[in-house]
Amino acid sequence: MSDRTAAETVLAGVPERGTAELLDLRKRYLNPTLSVSYREPLKIVRGEGVWLYDQHGEAYLDMVNNVCHVGHCHPRVVAAGQAQMAQLNTNTRYLHDNIVEYAMRLVATLPAPLSVVFLTNSGTEANDLALRLARAHTKKRGVLVLDHAYHGHSPSMVELSPYKFNGKGGEGQAAHVGVVDMPDVYQGAFRDPVAAGKQYADLLPAEITGLRERGFDPAVFYCESLLGCGGQIVLPDGYLRDAYATVRAAGGVCLADEVQVGFGRAGDHFWAFERQGVVPDILTVGKPIGNGHPIGAVVTTPEIAASFVTGMEYFNTFGGNPVSCAIALAVLDVIQEERLQDNAREVGNLVMEGLRELQRHHACIGDVRGCGLFIGAELVSDTAARTPDRAKAKQVVEAMKARHVLLSTEGPADNVLKIKPPVVFGRRDAAEFLEKLDAVLREI
């Protein structure tokens, strides 16, 4: 029996249901806060490369799935997981080659002194553990974050995520959290790209003072190296350099959240923080690390790791298991062997050049920004006033879906088209996307 036939035999035990029935069963049996994409939700049954397929075999170009970093169901990654799963899967209290090999390979991509690895099951877990590390090292509890940031769904991370605590159902800002304006040179207070990095970083001292007035010294500054929920924002030059210096002078440590943007997506660099010429004290990763398999990581310095050695064991039942590590190793192999970082740079440049050409013909495209295959196109109703146009952004997403291209929106006003496909996204894919977007904008 072939692997495919065996898999189909296992899946045959699950009844096939139509869209309406699935929606009804979700409402009856699943968490009611679970959302679905698009006015008419898709039932996706298969993935391959940059494509997703529905139950009718219709193909959709996936422009937003940065989780399946090296492409949906990459054969090399699938085979690695299958082989290890058939041999052994257990916890880290037993010695195994995979976990140390992965730690060594991951550290080899990073600058010194980032050299101590903790493996988790997700980006949320990574960010949650990083908070414990920062507080153990600094003996402080305050946290600085950017407005509209999202760092995870655990209680501690919702408290650090203005995207959540200032949104529907949120409980507002906690006393131990200081919120700094996003360094957005398109919509923000400072718009000169040369001066904006320092100007936005200069907002940090006031937030540190505010924390101290509430009885909290800063333990850590959480900042994505590229801002996702904030609207696909590329940090202005010098921002992290000056922000990190301020935080460290106040006794805190600096965390780069690369759960969305690591592993070559930025194009010119393997890690997006390298674009700013800085080295964080703590790095957190998730999503692309396992190409859809649940694994995340924290990497920090020996000094910070030593502060965590208090006598309390850190044990994670599934974190660092042999199967997850085998899959993560395969992802690193594929990125290197298929030159996917180079592909992200080259194809990303094509997409941004194409979007800027469309911008000359469609006044609704107010801004195009990004690096590698992390790109945003901000839609506005008034170019001079830069008035966000959420309604048009939603129209575009639905119209593109009707043309079998999957997009989504992001940003405080939910008016930014977010473009972050698997990094195997190619030149022909880029051309198809740009052609269809042009047609949609002309119609709308």
Side-chain angles (χ1 to χ4, degrees):
M1 182 178 291
S2 70
D3 288 342
R4 184 169 177 81
T5 304
E8 288 173 344
T9 300
V10 173
L11 293 175
V14 179
E16 290 188 12
R17 299 179 172 95
T19 302
E21 184 181 3
L22 285 172
L23 284 170
D24 179 63
L25 291 171
R26 280 172 66 106
K27 290 177 183 177
R28 289 169 57 189
Y29 293 106
L30 299 181
N31 180 346
T33 64
L34 286 174
S35 63
V36 293
S37 299
Y38 310 110
R39 283 197 299 264
E40 294 182 4
L42 290 168
K43 179 183 178 181
I44 297 297
V45 299
R46 186 169 72 85
E48 182 178 352
V50 296
W51 298 95
L52 290 173
Y53 297 83
D54 69 12
Q55 73 271 37
H56 308 297
E58 295 289 326
Y60 291 82
L61 184 60
D62 187 354
M63 300 284 294
V64 290
N65 201 319
N66 61 327
V67 179
C68 291
H69 190 64
V70 300
H72 293 280
C73 303
H74 193 290
R76 176 82 171 268
V77 178
V78 172
Q82 288 174 328
Q84 184 58 59
M85 193 178 298
Q87 188 174 79
L88 173 72
N89 198 24
T90 187
N91 63 61
T92 54
R93 288 200 174 110
Y94 300 100
L95 299 180
H96 198 277
D97 292 314
N98 285 7
I99 186 171
V100 293
E101 181 67 18
Y102 186 70
M104 292 167 61
R105 290 276 306 277
L106 184 60
V107 167
T109 69
L110 289 162
L114 293 171
S115 58
V116 182
V117 177
F118 297 77
L119 292 177
T120 66
N121 301 299
S122 68
T124 292
E125 270 198 7
N127 276 329
D128 191 84
L129 175 59
L131 181 60
R132 292 177 60 195
L133 288 165
R135 285 174 168 170
H137 183 67
T138 63
K139 304 295 190 280
K140 299 168 183 172
R141 296 195 58 79
V143 184
L144 295 157
V145 298
L146 294 187
D147 199 7
H148 217 71
Y150 174 64
H151 296 292
H153 59 75
S154 68
S156 71
M157 289 301 105
V158 170
E159 287 183 341
L160 304 191
S161 301
Y163 176 75
K164 291 294 185 184
F165 68 64
N166 282 333
K168 292 180 180 179
E171 296 181 355
Q173 184 176 337
H176 68 276
V177 177
V179 179
V180 186
D181 283 356
M182 287 193 303
D184 179 354
V185 297
Y186 183 69
Q187 293 285 8
F190 307 116
R191 298 180 177 181
D192 179 350
V194 176
K198 183 178 187 305
Q199 290 172 320
Y200 280 109
D202 284 346
L203 300 176
L204 278 156
E207 289 303 320
I208 292 171
T209 298
L211 278 176
R212 286 172 170 160
E213 288 174 350
R214 297 192 296 274
F216 297 95
D217 278 323
V220 58
F221 171 48
Y222 272 65
C223 185
E224 295 171 278
S225 303
L226 298 165
L227 310 186
C229 290
Q232 303 294 102
I233 290 173
V234 177
L235 301 175
D237 289 346
Y239 177 73
L240 287 185
R241 178 196 64 216
D242 292 344
Y244 279 16
T246 297
V247 172
R248 286 167 175 159
V253 297
C254 300
L255 180 146
D257 180 337
E258 300 228 356
V259 169
Q260 298 222 41
V261 298
F263 293 87
R265 177 168 294 280
D268 286 335
H269 300 90
F270 196 80
W271 299 105
F273 67 76
E274 294 175 298
R275 301 184 77 257
Q276 291 272 311
V278 298
V279 179
D281 303 299
I282 305 173
L283 170 72
T284 56
V285 296
K287 297 183 189 296
I289 191 172
N291 208 53
H293 181 84
I295 179 173
V298 180
V299 189
T300 191
T301 67
E303 184 183 11
I304 292 175
S307 298
F308 197 60
V309 181
T310 62
M312 178 187 291
E313 179 190 21
Y314 170 71
F315 176 70
N316 186 320
T317 302
F318 300 107
N321 71 77
V323 172
S324 295
C325 291
I327 288 170
L329 281 165
V331 169
L332 285 179
D333 288 339
V334 171
I335 292 170
Q336 181 179 9
E337 293 170 13
E338 297 186 11
R339 297 181 61 250
L340 294 183
Q341 181 181 332
D342 292 339
N343 186 71
R345 180 185 66 253
E346 293 162 8
V347 179
N349 285 339
L350 283 177
V351 172
M352 282 188 282
E353 288 168 7
L355 285 170
R356 289 182 177 124
E357 178 62 28
L358 293 182
Q359 188 179 23
R360 286 189 274 274
H361 301 285
H362 302 285
C364 63
I365 303 178
D367 190 39
V368 174
R369 51 186 179 255
C371 62
L373 283 170
F374 180 91
I375 299 166
E378 182 153 357
L379 302 192
V380 296
S381 58
D382 184 317
T383 306
R386 305 185 180 186
T387 308
D389 196 337
R390 180 180 185 274
K392 179 161 285 186
K394 295 298 182 184
Q395 277 184 291
V396 169
V397 167
E398 292 291 343
M400 289 294 280
K401 181 245 188 179
R403 288 165 173 76
H404 289 216
V405 176
L406 304 182
L407 290 169
S408 187
T409 55
E410 205 64 275
D414 209 17
N415 67 314
V416 180
L417 300 179
K418 63 176 177 181
I419 299 162
K420 45 184 181 180
V423 292
V424 291
F425 192 78
R427 293 170 180 267
R428 290 178 61 183
D429 306 319
E432 178 176 344
F433 160 66
L434 292 166
E435 181 182 347
K436 289 182 175 179
L437 181 60
D438 184 32
V440 162
L441 292 175
R442 289 181 189 279
E443 289 181 13
I444 292 177

